[in-house]
Amino acid sequence: MSKVGLYFGSFNPVHIGHMIIAGYMKEFTDLEEIWFVVSPLNPLKKKETLLADYHRLYMVELAIGDNYYFRASDIEFRLPSPSYTIDTAVRLTEKHPDNQFVLVMGEDNLYTLHKWKNVMELIRWFHLYVYPRPEAVKKPDMLLNEILERAVIKWVNAPLMDLSGTFIRNGIKHGKDMSYFLPPAVWKYIQDMHFYEK
């Protein structure tokens, strides 16, 4: 069986922080592949500034290029909206029984697990590979404590990246050169399409 990390996100846009995390997970853990699962709508986020699904998927494909170990997945485009991690992970497991899937997430997401759909089922079936996030704050919560005690968590000492899609979108909106924060092909596509300028 291949061990595959599922890296969920809106990727609005995909940036070098995402790619660094994915690269670190591939090279410094036992994960053989990283699949970028592009989410149409995160139930915990607002949709106001979200580009169309296919644009965000295409930018992930541009960022990946010819890297054999990375894959862009549009599976959530064909699932009921909003998408939930448990539904997507189970569907991928059914479609790819030869893969062992784990969830790749930032420490900030780890501390929201008590808000996730069917989280006890999720942590029973899928291990969590967690990378540090500088802004992550764990607030006291009995359910969250129980979840974290039961979950199989692998802490991955990936580089701290205080970089967000919001920062990049705001920079573009204000006419800043954001080319150093994005894979070159993604930056070119954003410029060609005039994304995030308003």
Side-chain angles (χ1 to χ4, degrees):
M1 292 185 71
S2 297
K3 202 166 190 180
V4 177
L6 298 178
Y7 192 8
F8 289 81
S10 56
F11 302 111
N12 187 40
V14 61
H15 53 66
I16 60 166
H18 296 128
M19 304 312 294
I20 288 169
I21 294 297
Y24 193 95
M25 290 287 173
K26 167 62 181 69
E27 296 302 325
F28 294 93
T29 73
D30 58 349
L31 298 181
E32 296 167 64
E33 295 180 21
I34 306 294
W35 292 10
F36 294 74
V37 182
V38 182
S39 301
L41 175 60
N42 181 330
L44 302 179
K45 290 187 176 180
K46 296 179 181 178
K47 195 173 182 177
E48 296 162 359
T49 59
L50 206 58
L51 286 183
D53 302 346
Y54 61 92
H55 285 306
R56 292 180 289 112
L57 178 70
Y58 183 60
M59 287 192 287
V60 171
E61 291 170 345
L62 288 174
I64 290 171
D66 59 0
N67 188 326
Y68 175 81
Y69 301 104
F70 291 170
R71 181 187 299 194
S73 172
D74 64 355
I75 187 168
E76 290 197 340
F77 296 5
R78 297 182 298 279
L79 296 177
S81 183
S83 51
Y84 295 95
T85 302
I86 181 69
D87 299 333
T88 306
V90 167
R91 181 67 62 88
L92 283 170
T93 300
E94 292 169 350
K95 288 187 66 171
H96 304 277
D98 292 335
N99 290 339
Q100 178 189 351
F101 291 108
V102 306
L103 307 182
V104 173
M105 68 176 66
E107 186 180 357
D108 53 333
N109 286 321
L110 183 71
Y111 299 148
T112 67
L113 283 178
H114 55 298
K115 301 177 182 178
W116 291 29
K117 177 184 175 183
N118 297 346
V119 67
M120 290 304 185
E121 290 293 316
L122 183 73
I123 61 172
R124 182 179 302 135
W125 291 105
F126 302 98
H127 295 180
L128 312 177
Y129 281 41
V130 180
Y131 58 89
R133 290 295 295 266
E135 75 280 12
V137 177
K138 180 177 180 289
K139 297 179 180 177
D141 185 282
M142 290 183 64
L143 176 58
L144 178 59
N145 289 340
E146 182 182 353
I147 293 165
L148 298 181
E149 286 174 7
R150 293 189 183 190
V152 178
I153 301 172
K154 180 181 179 69
W155 290 92
V156 180
N157 191 29
L160 287 170
M161 295 295 299
D162 191 10
L163 182 59
S164 70
T166 302
F167 167 75
I168 290 168
R169 293 192 303 272
N170 285 340
I172 294 171
K173 182 179 178 179
H174 291 95
K176 306 298 183 184
D177 178 0
M178 305 303 286
S179 61
Y180 295 106
F181 303 99
L182 297 155
V186 173
W187 174 239
K188 182 178 186 307
Y189 187 64
I190 288 172
Q191 287 190 301
D192 290 346
M193 299 297 290
H194 302 284
F195 289 149
Y196 310 120
E197 291 179 359
K198 295 182 180 178

